[in-house]
């Protein structure tokens, strides 16, 4: 899997999505 | 003689990946077996590996004796509604849950055995139209249920006497959740699969629905079994109950899909297909579909409609062992023992064989 297939990868995706998602 | 006839057939797998028959137990009640699982019996700081078997009207706890023999310690009678599933609770001793119902789960009960005074009890955890349920680490149970158009996704904490007062609701997706999986390496994350082939991700601490990621319709009714977080990606093991052997490519029974939760894009990593080709047909004799399966770490086991049990290494995407139908009947159940490299294969007559993998 590469970023060209999957888009930019973030090691902190869980924290980032938690900060963005509705409470 | 029976043990010899049940020696597994290896499909080009290394020797160390073979299945070795360790022991066998059989319920003498002649009831139709519906599920099998394992549980830790904890007493005096020691842990003992136990087997739990279920038929429609009762659930039994088996403890090991010397010489690979098993002793039925207790049988919980459950009454009118049939048992349809055992729900193991990982990392929790002396507790196991069961699902009761007809076509759908109508009730979840907790079965409890006290190691101090050998008392055995059962208590009601939840009722409703329950679509999916999973035992989580830390004495928790997550379930999805429907009331009319409303879907509830709920976590309950379990005490020794049943459900605790405190519970937590997770934000439900619009579509019905059909299966859950904990995310290894990420304690607060939970994934689920829905009726429209979405993989959804929750934050268990806050109850937030973080992401919906579409799997695609090529393989409908995907069921999630396990998930792993690594290097910014979410790897999800999906199974496809309607897989059928195909001449051209062989439909995968299990797929490991890598999701980038930031973009919701995905890529297939490894396929694990039904045994196909000459060697598979020689062994099995006919084309077969997939009935049900279980995944632990990188190992998957499934019962095929032919009555065989197949084991795959999900990282290699390859069958590593196959149990042909036994002399007394077809296999109907295949479960990994919690926290050990042991496979439980069961037949409808209540025969359970334990294999070291």
């Amino acid at each position: 899997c590469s970023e060209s297939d999957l888009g930019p990868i973030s090691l902190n995706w869980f924290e980032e999505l938690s900060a963005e998602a509705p409470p | 003689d029976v043990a010899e006839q049940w020696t597994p057939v290896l499909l080009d797998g290394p020797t160390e990946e073979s299945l070795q028959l360790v022991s066998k137990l059989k319920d003498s009640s002649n009831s139709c077996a519906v599920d099998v699982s394992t549980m830790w019996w904890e007493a005096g700081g020691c842990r003992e590996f136990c087997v739990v078997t279920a038929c429609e009207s009762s659930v039994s706890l088996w403890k090991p004796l010397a010489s690979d023999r098993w002793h039925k310690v207790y049988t919980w009678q459950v009454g009118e509604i049939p048992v349809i599933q055992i729900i193991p609770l990982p990392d929790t001793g002396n507790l196991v849950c069961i699902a009761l119902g007809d076509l759908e789960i109508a009730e979840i009960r907790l079965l409890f055995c006290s190691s101090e005074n050998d008392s055995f009890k059962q208590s009601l955890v939840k009722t409703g139209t329950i679509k999916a349920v999973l035992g989580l680490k830390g004495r928790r149970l997550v379930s999805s249920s429907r009331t009319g158009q409303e879907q509830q996704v709920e976590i309950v904490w379990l005490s020794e006497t049943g459900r605790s007062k405190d519970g937590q609701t997770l934000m439900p997706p619009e579509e019905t959740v059909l299966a859950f999986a904990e995310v290894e390496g990420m304690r607060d994350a939970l994934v689920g699969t829905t009726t429209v082939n979405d993989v959804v991700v929750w934050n268990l601490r806050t109850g937030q629905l973080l992401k919906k990621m579409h799997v695609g319709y090529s393989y409908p009714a995907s069921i999630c079994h396990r998930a792993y977080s690594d290097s910014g990606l979410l790897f999800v093991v999906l199974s496809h109950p309607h897989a059928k052997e195909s001449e051209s490519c062989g439909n995968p029974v299990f797929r490991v899909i890598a999701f980038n939760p930031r973009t919701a894009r995905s890529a297939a990593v490894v396929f694990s297909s039904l045994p196909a080709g000459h060697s598979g047909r020689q062994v099995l004799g006919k084309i077969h579909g997939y009935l049900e399966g279980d995944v632990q770490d990188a190992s998957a086991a499934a019962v095929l409609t032919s009555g065989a049990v197949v084991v795959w290494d999900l990282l290699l995407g390859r069958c590593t062992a196959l149990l042909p139908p036994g002399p007394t009947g077809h296999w109907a159940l295949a479960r990994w023992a919690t926290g050990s490299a042991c496979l439980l294969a069961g037949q409808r007559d209540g025969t359970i064989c334990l294999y070291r993998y």
Side-chain angles (χ1 to χ4, degrees):
Chain A
C1 302
S2 66
E3 292 214 349
S4 60
D5 298 328
L6 298 170
I9 291 167
S10 169
L11 294 177
N12 299 317
W13 64 267
F14 187 76
E15 292 74 18
E16 291 168 7
L17 292 178
S18 296
E20 294 165 13
Chain B
D1 290 343
V2 169
E4 277 181 19
Q5 288 173 56
W6 282 351
T7 300
V9 177
L10 295 175
L11 299 179
D12 306 324
T15 314
E16 62 269 21
E17 290 181 354
S18 66
L19 292 169
Q20 296 172 302
L21 183 62
V22 176
S23 60
K24 189 175 79 163
L25 62 89
K26 170 129 178 35
D27 201 319
S28 56
S29 66
N30 286 325
S31 305
C32 183
V34 296
D35 204 356
V36 62
S37 188
T38 55
M39 188 181 82
W40 291 107
W41 174 274
E42 292 178 347
C46 295
R47 274 180 140 195
E48 199 170 28
F49 173 82
C50 295
V51 171
V52 182
T53 58
C55 61
E56 282 196 352
S57 60
S58 64
V59 178
S60 297
L61 175 70
W62 302 73
K63 275 189 179 184
L65 297 171
S67 310
D68 296 327
R69 292 168 61 86
W70 292 86
H71 164 60
K72 195 196 295 187
V73 180
Y74 186 77
T75 297
W76 290 269
Q77 299 295 334
V78 294
E80 297 292 311
I81 311 174
V83 180
I84 51 178
Q85 186 188 342
I86 298 172
I87 309 156
L89 297 165
D91 78 2
T92 302
N94 302 355
L95 292 178
V96 69
C97 286
I98 53 169
L100 303 99
D102 290 309
L103 291 174
E104 289 187 310
I105 301 170
E107 193 174 304
I108 295 169
R109 285 192 208 174
L110 177 72
L111 306 181
F112 164 63
C113 38
S114 165
S115 54
E116 290 173 5
N117 52 9
D118 272 359
S119 73
F120 298 85
K121 296 172 188 166
Q122 57 178 300
S123 60
L124 184 66
V125 174
K126 189 179 176 73
T127 57
T129 308
I130 298 162
K131 303 290 184 179
V133 61
L134 179 72
L136 305 177
K137 289 174 184 162
R139 278 192 180 208
R140 297 171 300 169
L141 195 79
V142 63
S143 62
S144 63
S145 55
R146 280 248 172 229
T147 311
Q149 293 299 308
E150 291 288 309
Q151 178 174 216
Q152 186 187 42
V153 182
E154 183 190 31
I155 293 182
V156 295
W157 275 264
L158 300 167
S159 71
E160 291 176 353
T161 53
R163 70 178 289 174
S164 302
K165 284 179 186 171
D166 296 332
Q168 186 189 358
T169 304
L170 304 183
M171 183 176 284
E174 289 169 17
E175 305 79 18
T176 301
V177 178
L178 295 178
F180 296 101
E182 280 192 283
V183 181
E184 291 184 29
M186 195 163 271
R187 184 177 163 75
D188 291 330
L190 178 75
V191 302
T193 38
T194 72
T195 45
V196 294
N197 255 19
D198 282 341
V199 168
V200 292
V201 186
W202 287 278
N203 182 329
L204 280 175
R205 197 162 27 82
T206 62
Q208 290 167 293
L209 178 61
L210 299 182
K211 203 76 177 179
K212 287 205 297 191
M213 304 178 287
H214 194 56
V215 182
Y217 288 107
S218 305
Y219 304 100
S222 299
I223 299 290
C224 60
H225 287 264
R226 295 272 167 177
Y228 315 86
S229 175
D230 192 21
S231 306
L233 296 175
L234 185 62
F235 295 86
V236 183
V237 178
L238 299 171
S239 75
H240 310 284
H242 305 305
K244 288 276 192 305
E245 186 182 14
S246 124
E247 286 292 344
S248 55
C249 56
N251 278 350
V253 179
F254 293 96
R255 287 191 300 172
V256 181
I257 307 285
F259 290 93
N260 179 352
R262 284 264 33 153
T263 61
R265 288 194 213 163
S266 64
V269 181
V270 189
F271 291 168
S272 295
S273 296
L274 290 168
H278 188 65
S279 61
R281 291 232 178 75
Q282 270 194 331
V283 171
L284 295 162
K286 63 177 178 180
I287 293 175
H288 36 257
Y290 153 82
L291 283 178
E292 59 144 44
D294 192 24
V295 177
Q296 179 161 271
D297 299 327
S299 301
V303 179
L304 308 185
T305 48
S306 63
V309 170
V310 175
V311 178
W312 290 266
D313 182 319
L314 293 175
L315 298 180
L316 299 173
R318 202 181 66 185
C319 290
T320 52
L322 184 147
L323 292 173
T328 56
H330 288 189
W331 298 111
L333 303 164
R335 299 274 183 273
W336 295 107
T338 303
S340 76
C342 183
L343 178 75
L344 295 95
Q347 299 189 346
R348 286 289 175 222
D349 70 353
T351 302
I352 306 292
C353 290
L354 284 85
Y355 290 90
R356 190 177 295 119
Y357 179 55

